[in-house]
Amino acid sequence: MAEEPGGTDEAAPDGPTGLAGWLRRLFGGLAPSERTRGYPTSSNRASSMHLFWDLPGRFVEVGVTLTILDEPRTDDLYFWALQVGFEDAASGRRQGAAHTGPQWAAQHPGHGAVNWGGYGAVGELDGSRGWLPSASGNANSVDYPWRVGVPYRLTVARAPGDHDAGPLAPGYGAARANASGTYVEAPPLGFTAWRATITPLAAGPDVGASADAGSPAHTAEPQVIRDLWAPGDLLVSPMVWSEVFARCDASPVRVAWSNPAAIDERGDVHRVKSARVNYQSVADGGCSNTEVSVTTTPDGLAWLQSTATQRRTRPGTPLRLTGQR
């Protein structure tokens, strides 16, 4: 049985009960220079990494391809996500943000899940039920047995028929059916329904989180996760990130992000040619052994992220990654 996230490692010199923790209590404010063992000590007990896209503008669709190259070997939660912000076109006011992507989560069959959830000014955003069942009972996370080595396209776009006519559109709010049953759904007046979709781009090897033949992860069909209701009608500030709740000395888990792009209201495609990476600092409880490298592919930039690989940059220092198509 894996230790719960946030557990301590008595033998780790930089753990909360180690020498650095004792010195912080004695002198105050002294933080360790690295953390390569034990669990992260951040407020949410995770170590995180963010890749901020250098992509200004306002969009109606954002997408990126994610390939998970290694299966985690613990029951701890792993979360890899595409994040978008919401903005009101008329006022230019920011209206919160949301994230979507696969999870390695023990509460779901085969540890496979996919999430679409976020927050606005008044708290967690509401939305439709998931198109798939959820063993965890969490409305944001549904069962999705993704597989190692398969590239998955993550997209966020306006739900069909939402923006132009809103709740007055024919059939809007009509009864719909999914794996969880029949229900009525429609965003409140003034809100936009944003749909997150995951699409396998190749069959891939039969390894990783197990999936029965014919399940969503074994087809090349787009799978709607759910619709999320946000007051903003445009997407801004796209990025990708990961949160790893495992020990810093857990076996490495590599993922590759590729072909990040966005579509504006005119239908023009904007491809990402540079990004900035930022690691959660050790002082904030993160691990110091996460690394991100960048390569150029025919589809644009590709980033390879690995945990438990000695980082080459100082924790928390932004590193500008550039490449040309």
Side-chain angles (χ1 to χ4, degrees), residues 182-199:
T182 301
Y183 60 96
V184 174
E185 60 165 7
L189 186 64
F191 283 63
T192 300
W194 291 99
R195 179 166 296 180
T197 304
I198 184 169
T199 307

Side-chain angles (χ1 to χ4, degrees), residues 20-29:
W22 179 82
L23 289 173
R24 286 199 302 274
R25 290 191 295 272
L26 182 62
F27 296 105

Side-chain angles (χ1 to χ4, degrees), residues 12-281:
D14 55 5
T17 58
L19 177 59
W22 179 82
L23 289 173
R24 286 199 302 274
R25 290 191 295 272
L26 182 62
F27 296 105
L30 182 61
S33 60
E34 65 176 39
R35 180 176 293 105
T36 59
R37 298 180 61 187
Y39 280 97
T41 60
S42 54
S43 59
N44 67 345
R45 295 297 187 257
S47 186
S48 61
M49 180 281 304
H50 298 81
L51 272 167
F52 301 98
W53 300 1
D54 290 327
L55 192 66
R58 304 192 296 180
F59 310 102
V60 296
E61 181 175 327
V62 172
V64 69
T65 300
L66 169 66
T67 308
I68 302 169
L69 302 174
D70 302 298
E71 182 177 292
R73 299 182 181 179
T74 75
D75 285 338
D76 298 303
L77 176 65
Y78 285 70
F79 191 5
W80 307 274
L82 165 67
Q83 178 171 309
V84 292
F86 304 112
E87 186 174 291
D88 179 71
S91 66
R93 183 178 178 182
R94 183 71 174 262
Q95 301 284 1
H99 43 259
T100 183
Q103 296 176 323
W104 173 263
Q107 303 94 326
H108 295 265
H111 288 75
V114 65
N115 178 285
W116 176 222
Y119 294 87
V122 295
E124 188 171 354
L125 297 175
D126 201 357
S128 71
R129 299 181 185 180
W131 257 247
L132 296 172
S134 174
S136 66
N138 186 326
N140 296 336
S141 296
V142 296
D143 305 337
Y144 189 83
W146 54 264
R147 293 181 294 158
V148 167
V150 176
Y152 292 94
R153 187 70 180 174
L154 303 171
T155 59
V156 175
R158 292 172 181 162
D162 170 71
H163 182 67
D164 294 331
L168 300 180
Y172 210 73
R176 304 185 185 187
N178 67 5
S180 300
T182 301
Y183 60 96
V184 174
E185 60 165 7
L189 186 64
F191 283 63
T192 300
W194 291 99
R195 179 166 296 180
T197 304
I198 184 169
T199 307
L201 301 183
D206 287 321
V207 295
S210 62
D212 295 331
S215 74
H218 271 270
T219 71
E221 297 297 321
Q223 174 62 58
V224 173
I225 302 170
R226 68 187 297 226
D227 291 347
L228 202 63
W229 304 332
D233 51 0
L234 290 170
L235 303 176
V236 294
S237 305
M239 70 173 78
V240 295
W241 52 257
S242 70
E243 284 189 336
V244 177
F245 292 78
R247 296 168 60 96
C248 299
D249 50 337
S251 298
V253 175
R254 297 168 301 143
V255 300
W257 300 95
S258 60
N259 195 15
I263 301 175
D264 63 24
E265 289 186 288
R266 298 182 301 274
D268 295 334
V269 178
H270 300 258
R271 299 193 181 277
V272 182
K273 295 185 177 181
S274 64
R276 292 164 291 116
V277 62
N278 194 70
Y279 307 100
Q280 184 174 15
S281 69

